[in-house]
Amino acid sequence: MIASSRNSLNFKTIVSKIFYLCFIMARLIEFDEEQAIQKAMEVFWKKGYAATSMRDLTDAMQINSSSLYNTIGDKHRLFVRCIKHYIKMRIDAVEQRYISFASPIQALESFIKDAADIITTEPNSCLCVKATFEIEGDDPEIQAIITSYDNFTHRFLKDLVEKAQSQHQIGQNENADTVADYLVSTFIGWYNSFILHQDRNKILNMADFIIRQLRC
Amino acid sequence: MIASSRNSLNFKTIVSKIFYLCFIMARLIEFDEEQAIQKAMEVFWKKGYAATSMRDLTDAMQINSSSLYNTIGDKHRLFVRCIKHYIKMRIDAVEQRYISFASPIQALESFIKDAADIITTEPNSCLCVKATFEIEGDDPEIQAIITSYDNFTHRFLKDLVEKAQSQHQIGQNENADTVADYLVSTFIGWYNSFILHQDRNKILNMADFIIRQLRC
DNA sequence: TTAATTTTGAAACGTTTGTTTTAAAATAAG
DNA sequence: CTTATTTTAAAACAAACGTTTCAAAATTAA
């Protein structure tokens, strides 16, 4: 079981934290937690959960394991933080890029091409996809977090599909939910294809193909 | 590195094997190797490579680790055997089911529906997809095996698409290579979707959607 | 400065890891 | 039966695992 032995903050720790905040100032935490999470995320992203050791993590984060356990918690708590950090990065990027767009169909096309580009240029595949296949039902907490990210992407795409349909930019016969599901599924398949074949053109051709299909 | 320390058969072992076959009959191997590989495969399939321990494997295979190392080799050799065994199962199933079919388009539709059915009814997702995301470039041997399986499926689908095109059962404008790539990608995305949402209807709707898209 | 408190670094903890060794059991030719 | 050889089971192996302990360093209110 991946999801075992998660000792989060206990009562004693919480009480001492409150005391710390209200009355007494002692030694301050030296390391930058955000930065450390970023480093840990990169390790998990490359190696996966089980294949990453605590030594790998503390080496990358440049902190001692006692500091890690004092602030963030055990390996699983850290993984949760890293997954959340990764998702926040991704959502922020999407929301920044798609604040406004000329038309829904153009936004859809951009999104598809962006996906193809990310998949064929980043050094690793998607941390969430890797985690999903690694845990596969054995870690409800991680799965719930990833599912909610999946839902975000789904809503985003479904919304664009509906708008494009109502503006007669794409066919109106298909169910927007299904089209959104199908787009998300395809992107995930692209990760797999690119790992196996390292063939950027394969992915770009599929992106063009999907865009053509959407238009009719 | 996943793919380290693979001590395969050394010279001494090979020589003694030859002696064994030519001259001397001693104690025979007791356990059924095929059966043991099947059991090991099931464990890897459920837990992944890194999260599976040698104790997990020898418990499932019901053999002692010394027997395992004597016959099959180390953990990585065993994983190779299990992946090959899995692929053989899959290829055999496809070749049995698709020896003959009324028409290319019907075969394509069947294949898509079969994929949807397998994905939504089997207890685990695809061993090869899990392995691909787990190793991601760190294990050339496993990756080559999985890639050749991917190529098999690709050729099978491309062949059907070409035949369906030449018989005017589907549109002839699209490149058969790209359509085959895109079908494979989509199936892999379905595994991800089903892990996260456990929603069979999502997958069936996407299967219907793809079939409709193919026809035009 | 003293007292109170926390973070830190290093070492240590008991398990579990993948793998090897060792000796006994099994087999069959001579 | 003896001899030669192999497979097996159990124990042992060092290394690595995730986690905890503990004393020293750091900090600041009093």
Side-chain angles (χ1 to χ4, degrees):
Chain A
M1 266 284 280
I2 289 173
S4 61
S5 78
R6 306 168 191 171
N7 55 349
S8 59
L9 300 172
N10 57 19
F11 183 71
K12 184 185 145 202
T13 315
I14 291 165
V15 166
S16 68
K17 294 260 169 191
I18 293 168
F19 260 81
Y20 164 78
L21 288 170
C22 295
F23 304 108
I24 293 148
M25 293 296 289
R27 186 174 179 180
L28 296 167
I29 296 173
E30 280 178 8
F31 73 95
D32 180 342
E33 200 166 303
E34 281 264 356
Q35 219 164 5
I37 293 285
Q38 170 73 29
K39 288 291 177 192
M41 183 200 74
E42 288 166 11
V43 181
F44 279 131
W45 194 358
K46 177 173 278 173
K47 310 184 66 160
Y49 181 77
T52 298
S53 74
M54 290 301 281
R55 261 90 173 174
D56 293 334
L57 293 165
T58 50
D59 285 355
M61 299 165 87
Q62 302 221 64
I63 61 171
N64 192 272
S65 62
S66 67
S67 300
L68 178 54
Y69 277 84
N70 260 339
T71 52
I72 292 161
D74 63 11
K75 187 185 179 187
H76 189 270
R77 293 314 320 155
L78 177 56
F79 190 53
V80 168
R81 290 286 299 273
C82 290
I83 291 273
K84 284 182 175 173
H85 178 67
Y86 178 86
I87 290 172
K88 185 172 160 34
M89 271 174 42
R90 292 289 181 207
I91 290 182
D92 284 354
V94 166
E95 288 184 336
Q96 278 238 350
R97 182 137 167 60
Y98 297 91
I99 291 171
S100 64
F101 235 91
S103 76
I105 181 69
Q106 276 176 24
L108 271 174
E109 285 194 24
S110 267
F111 193 92
I112 292 165
K113 285 182 174 168
D114 284 353
D117 203 61
I118 288 170
I119 287 162
T120 56
T121 54
E122 288 212 335
N124 314 308
S125 71
C126 174
L127 174 59
C128 290
V129 177
K130 291 183 71 160
T132 300
F133 281 108
E134 182 170 1
I135 62 175
E136 216 188 320
D138 271 359
D139 190 329
E141 184 174 8
I142 293 290
Q143 181 159 325
I145 294 165
I146 295 176
T147 302
S148 77
Y149 172 45
D150 190 89
N151 289 335
F152 165 84
T153 311
H154 180 90
R155 264 195 309 276
F156 178 83
L157 289 172
K158 182 187 172 185
D159 188 51
L160 286 179
V161 169
E162 280 174 341
K163 282 180 181 154
Q165 283 178 328
S166 70
Q167 294 176 30
H168 302 269
Q169 294 165 342
I170 64 174
Q172 291 153 271
N173 300 327
E174 295 299 341
N175 179 270
D177 248 313
T178 300
V179 176
D181 274 332
Y182 141 90
L183 286 171
V184 173
S185 285
T186 315
F187 300 151
I188 285 160
W190 292 355
Y191 279 112
N192 189 278
S193 168
F194 193 70
I195 294 172
L196 292 181
H197 305 289
Q198 300 280 0
D199 186 343
R200 184 170 153 85
N201 281 331
K202 257 189 201 292
I203 312 297
L204 297 180
N205 286 337
M206 282 192 274
D208 289 340
F209 175 73
I210 280 194
I211 289 169
R212 246 176 283 130
Q213 293 269 10
L214 263 186
R215 285 194 175 280
C216 71
Chain B
M1 263 287 277
I2 288 173
S4 62
S5 77
R6 306 169 192 172
N7 55 348
S8 57
L9 298 174
N10 58 20
F11 183 71
K12 186 185 143 204
T13 314
I14 291 166
V15 167
S16 68
K17 294 261 168 191
I18 293 167
F19 260 82
Y20 165 76
L21 287 169
C22 295
F23 303 108
I24 292 149
M25 292 297 287
R27 185 175 179 179
L28 296 167
I29 295 174
E30 280 178 7
F31 73 95
D32 179 343
E33 200 165 302
E34 281 265 357
Q35 217 163 9
I37 293 285
Q38 169 74 28
K39 288 292 178 190
M41 184 200 74
E42 288 165 13
V43 180
F44 279 131
W45 194 358
K46 177 173 277 175
K47 308 186 66 160
Y49 181 77
T52 298
S53 74
M54 291 301 282
R55 263 88 176 174
D56 292 334
L57 293 164
T58 49
D59 285 356
M61 299 165 85
Q62 300 221 65
I63 61 170
N64 192 275
S65 63
S66 67
S67 299
L68 177 55
Y69 276 84
N70 259 340
T71 52
I72 293 162
D74 63 10
K75 188 186 177 185
H76 189 269
R77 296 308 327 150
L78 177 56
F79 191 52
V80 169
R81 289 286 300 272
C82 289
I83 292 273
K84 284 183 174 172
H85 178 67
Y86 178 85
I87 291 172
K88 185 172 161 33
M89 270 173 43
R90 291 290 181 207
I91 290 183
D92 285 354
V94 167
E95 288 184 336
Q96 278 239 351
R97 180 134 167 63
Y98 296 92
I99 291 171
S100 65
F101 235 89
S103 77
I105 181 68
Q106 276 175 23
L108 271 175
E109 285 196 23
S110 267
F111 193 92
I112 292 165
K113 285 183 174 169
D114 283 353
D117 203 60
I118 288 170
I119 288 163
T120 56
T121 54
E122 288 211 335
N124 313 309
S125 72
C126 173
L127 174 59
C128 290
V129 177
K130 291 184 71 160
T132 300
F133 281 108
E134 183 171 2
I135 62 174
E136 216 188 320
D138 272 358
D139 190 330
E141 183 174 9
I142 293 289
Q143 182 159 324
I145 294 165
I146 295 175
T147 302
S148 77
Y149 172 45
D150 190 87
N151 289 337
F152 165 84
T153 311
H154 180 90
R155 264 196 309 275
F156 177 83
L157 288 172
K158 183 186 172 185
D159 188 51
L160 286 180
V161 169
E162 280 176 340
K163 282 180 181 153
Q165 282 178 329
S166 70
Q167 295 176 30
H168 301 270
Q169 293 166 341
I170 65 174
Q172 289 153 273
N173 299 327
E174 295 299 342
N175 179 271
D177 248 314
T178 300
V179 175
D181 273 332
Y182 142 91
L183 286 171
V184 173
S185 285
T186 314
F187 300 151
I188 285 158
W190 292 356
Y191 280 113
N192 189 278
S193 168
F194 193 69
I195 294 172
L196 292 181
H197 305 290
Q198 300 280 3
D199 185 343
R200 184 168 152 88
N201 281 330
K202 258 188 200 296
I203 312 299
L204 297 180
N205 286 336
M206 282 192 274
D208 289 340
F209 175 74
I210 280 195
I211 290 170
R212 248 176 282 130
Q213 294 268 10
L214 262 186
R215 286 194 175 278
C216 71

